[in-house]
Amino acid sequence: MASFGIIGSKGRMGQALASAVEEAGHTLAGGVDAGELPGPLALQADVLIDFSAPAALEANLKAARVAGVPILIGTTGLDDTNFAAIKDAAKAIPVLQTGNTSLGVTLLSALVKQAAERLGDDWDIEVLEMHHRHKVDAPSGTAKLLGEAAARGRGVYLEEKMESGRHGQTGARKSGDIGFATLRGGSVAGDHSVIFAGEQERLTLSHSAENRTIFARGAVRGAEWLIGKPQGRYTMEDVLDL
């Protein structure tokens, strides 16, 4: 049994996490939200789970480092500055950062990478995602995670091949691009598909989230795994030994 601290505890994911922690037989050290300091919580917890906001990440990482506790980061919409801070923190503590904590999506990512490796460059790759109307970032962290998996499979950098701004007279599709399409509406927890389109055939790898509980359960499993690990940067693929 471990003690979990939740950063972003009053949000929809924070509430789901609290239930998942209890369901897994652990204890809740407490939670913090916008305007509250994470330091005291970090000192009481065996592990932190952060589903807050990119602007809070630096303070959350600092609190984890001072307390010497691992932290799982599920916050999306991160930029290069955030990733640099994560890399720096991982020199001192174990840090697991992911765009999606679902175990199903984690396995999907591995399958996408394998498909991109095995299929030729003449297969076009498109990532399609849909989320509820309240989601503020696009493409989603999960869509980017899947795009990055495809890019790794092809041995390229996603930043150089990503196409997410099609509008108007765009011209023909560029060979090797990894396209993204974003849908928003209703209460969709998260639907993601990676389409490999070849000549006269098409392969689609998909995952549908029916409830955000799956993300909470995956986050708890990832946080359990992170406890006791040496300093370093980890992913959900490490949790499933993929």
Side-chain angles (χ1 to χ4, degrees):
M1 185 173 68
S3 179
F4 283 62
I6 300 174
I7 302 173
S9 62
K10 293 181 180 178
R12 289 186 290 268
M13 266 304 300
Q15 295 175 49
L17 280 166
S19 297
V21 167
E22 182 179 356
E23 179 184 275
H26 299 294
T27 60
L28 191 62
V32 294
D33 292 277
E36 299 176 329
L37 297 175
L41 175 64
L43 292 171
Q44 299 175 48
D46 295 317
V47 63
L48 296 174
I49 301 179
D50 181 8
F51 275 86
S52 56
L57 182 62
E58 184 176 352
N60 298 336
L61 289 170
K62 181 179 179 180
R65 291 184 69 165
V66 170
V69 297
I71 181 170
L72 182 148
I73 301 164
T75 302
T76 59
L78 304 180
D79 59 21
D80 290 342
T81 301
N82 298 134
F83 288 120
I86 291 170
K87 182 178 180 180
D88 186 58
K91 297 175 183 176
I93 58 172
V95 180
L96 192 161
Q97 182 273 320
T98 181
N100 191 302
T101 53
S102 159
L103 301 183
V105 166
T106 301
L107 182 56
L108 173 61
S109 176
L111 295 173
V112 167
K113 179 177 180 291
Q114 182 177 5
E117 284 175 339
R118 302 298 178 88
L119 299 175
D121 290 344
D122 55 331
W123 287 67
D124 299 322
I125 302 176
E126 294 284 320
V127 182
L128 173 66
E129 58 106 340
M130 182 171 185
H131 282 85
H132 53 85
R133 63 170 67 95
H134 302 293
K135 189 167 180 60
V136 299
D137 58 310
S140 70
T142 303
K144 290 179 181 177
L145 180 151
L146 295 171
E148 288 167 353
R152 287 196 305 274
R154 284 191 167 175
V156 299
Y157 292 106
L158 179 61
E159 294 80 4
E160 298 175 358
K161 297 295 183 179
M162 183 174 181
E163 175 54 70
S164 60
R166 296 190 184 115
H167 180 76
Q169 297 295 321
T170 61
R173 190 186 198 281
K174 293 179 182 178
S175 177
D177 276 359
I178 298 175
F180 287 78
T182 298
L183 305 178
R184 293 286 179 266
S187 58
V188 179
D191 289 346
H192 295 84
S193 294
V194 181
I195 303 165
F196 293 84
E199 290 296 326
Q200 301 180 344
E201 60 180 325
R202 190 165 63 250
L203 170 66
T204 302
L205 302 174
S206 300
H207 178 272
S208 294
E210 299 178 5
N211 190 292
R212 61 179 48 86
T213 298
I214 67 168
F215 308 124
R217 288 173 177 164
V220 169
R221 179 163 169 181
E224 289 173 335
W225 179 90
L226 198 59
I227 295 172
K229 291 294 184 293
Q231 71 270 21
R233 185 171 178 179
Y234 300 96
T235 67
M236 288 298 293
E237 283 82 2
D238 295 317
V239 177
L240 293 186
D241 194 24
L242 294 174

